[in-house]
Amino acid sequence: MIESQTISINLIVTQREGNIVSDMDGEKVMLSISNGKYYNLGDIGGAIWDFIVEPISIYQLVSQLVSEYDVEFKECEQQVIDFLTHLKNEGLIELKSEDGMK
Amino acid sequence: MKQWKMPVLEVLDVNKTFG
């Protein structure tokens, strides 16, 4: 299992199943069936959530965001990793290395 | 280019949010 402290840009990230997601005023709100909690991902977080519907490397994810948003790569990388760390801690995403190890 | 904001995961308190 990959611990949150070791999230790096080369890892592959994807949504975990079992969440009900809805758009509310441009922000994405989610109910986790597994833990019963409600989350607000916000608009940027919602965009990230959409990007990780299929497995994608964090590098590719950040590259996509940098191409669409007015943000520098390193700033985006750090903030995305922080965000993914929170998602990971809540059990909402899966991370694995490029060779498929979870 | 769209405006960037730091992504934040907000855990909602259902009792406060929805009554």
Side-chain angles (χ1 to χ4, degrees), chain A residues 1-79:
Chain A
M1 182 69 76
I2 291 171
E3 298 300 329
S4 59
Q5 297 92 322
T6 62
I7 289 181
S8 71
I9 199 162
N10 295 319
L11 294 178
I12 307 294
V13 58
T14 188
Q15 299 175 3
R16 290 189 71 177
E17 294 181 354
N19 301 298
I20 297 173
V21 182
S22 178
D23 286 307
M24 294 178 65
D25 288 336
E27 298 191 339
K28 205 170 285 293
V29 177
M30 181 165 66
L31 166 64
S32 168
I33 299 298
S34 59
N35 66 23
K37 292 183 183 176
Y38 288 86
Y39 301 93
N40 182 5
L41 301 175
D43 50 357
I44 303 290
I48 292 172
W49 185 256
D50 287 340
F51 276 126
I52 64 174
V53 64
E54 297 289 343
I56 183 174
S57 76
I58 296 175
Y59 178 84
Q60 289 175 298
L61 170 62
V62 174
S63 298
Q64 289 269 11
L65 291 167
V66 168
S67 71
E68 290 188 22
Y69 292 89
D70 186 14
V71 61
E72 295 295 325
F73 191 94
K74 290 301 290 183
E75 179 187 1
C76 185
E77 175 189 1
Q78 187 55 59
Q79 292 182 4

